[in-house]
Amino acid sequence: MMELIVISKPTLFKEESSLINQLFEAGLQVFHLRKENVDEAAYRKIIKGISPEYHSRIALHHFHSLAGDYHIQRIHHTESFRKERHSGELPENKIFSTSIHHLADRNQIGQYNYSFFGPVFNSLSKPGYKSMIPSHFRLEKHQAAPKIIALGGIGLTEIDQVKEMNFDGIALLGSIWNDPSQAITTFKKALVKCEA
């Protein structure tokens, strides 16, 4: 079974927390809260709107200090943050994720639990963000390496192909949020495909 992660829409929108709760109710295990240009108050508002029983499934991309306020166990380090941070051990009481855009960087992320890699296909949410891998790509697994989660341009029709590429999971963004009225339906169909 492939893991299925949902990343938040980059911009704020009405009823967002309600929709995130519905995704959790539908079986979502991990939700990445990533908003590039919003302040801490907006992050707090979203988290407060999410049922506390789901807080442990949220991964924070920004404002990591909020983790303590809301019992959040997951922290995401962007590629730039990770590189600026250099090395040093990560605390063991949290689940850490990061992102890479080149598979050669896998040797720099050994202490992370998992990493996003992409774009696997041309992005659905960022025009001009093109795939970086060949069509017959297959991920080589390394012993004790972090799990690699495919990201970028993944809709329902691409999930089987991502499975064949040997990724540990997929992250959905554009396919969920480009039409929020279909978000739950799309998620449920994707979950069935990932569990098949």
Side-chain angles (χ1 to χ4, degrees):
M1 178 182 150
M2 246 186 2
E3 279 191 60
L4 176 56
I5 292 171
V6 171
I7 300 174
S8 66
K9 186 173 181 167
T11 53
L12 298 168
F13 66 97
K14 277 191 168 169
E15 307 299 325
E16 182 166 14
S17 295
S18 170
L19 205 44
I20 294 165
N21 279 323
Q22 290 175 56
L23 286 167
F24 282 128
E25 287 162 17
L28 179 63
Q29 294 303 306
V30 180
F31 175 76
H32 275 250
L33 182 53
R34 181 182 79 185
K35 303 277 186 188
E36 301 274 328
N37 299 304
V38 304
D39 60 13
E40 186 174 326
Y43 257 62
R44 277 188 188 276
K45 187 175 179 188
I46 293 168
I47 296 167
K48 281 182 180 175
I50 297 171
S51 177
E53 68 188 283
Y54 300 131
H55 286 180
S56 64
R57 300 189 203 173
I58 299 170
L60 290 175
H61 281 236
H62 307 95
F63 309 113
H64 295 157
S65 60
L66 293 176
D69 296 349
Y70 297 100
H71 306 291
I72 289 172
Q73 303 303 314
R74 296 171 173 272
I75 301 291
H76 184 85
H77 289 166
T78 61
E79 193 168 35
S80 57
F81 180 91
R82 186 185 76 244
K83 288 178 175 175
E84 285 165 20
R85 196 182 157 274
H86 300 302
S87 56
E89 289 299 307
L90 292 171
E92 290 187 13
N93 62 340
K94 299 266 188 246
I95 297 168
F96 285 91
S97 58
T98 189
S99 301
I100 57 173
H101 294 91
H102 304 283
L103 286 172
D105 291 344
R106 286 172 86 177
N107 60 4
Q108 300 169 12
I109 60 169
Q111 54 185 321
Y112 287 87
N113 297 86
Y114 61 95
S115 176
F116 294 125
F117 169 75
V120 175
F121 303 105
N122 295 343
S123 175
L124 298 172
S125 60
K126 294 181 183 175
Y129 203 53
K130 302 284 187 194
S131 169
M132 299 175 64
I133 61 173
S135 57
H136 296 294
F137 173 82
R138 187 165 169 81
L139 183 71
E140 293 295 323
K141 296 286 174 74
H142 296 288
Q143 286 297 100
K147 291 185 282 189
I148 302 294
I149 308 296
L151 171 66
I154 302 170
L156 295 174
T157 53
E158 286 76 28
I159 293 175
D160 290 339
Q161 196 176 341
V162 174
K163 277 185 175 176
E164 288 174 17
M165 291 175 171
N166 206 29
F167 282 98
D168 297 297
I170 63 168
L172 300 181
L173 197 167
S175 59
I176 295 291
W177 304 115
N178 286 353
D179 184 358
S181 70
Q182 292 299 308
I184 305 304
T185 302
T186 302
F187 172 76
K188 286 178 176 175
K189 288 178 180 175
L191 190 60
V192 168
K193 279 180 167 277
C194 287
E195 289 176 342

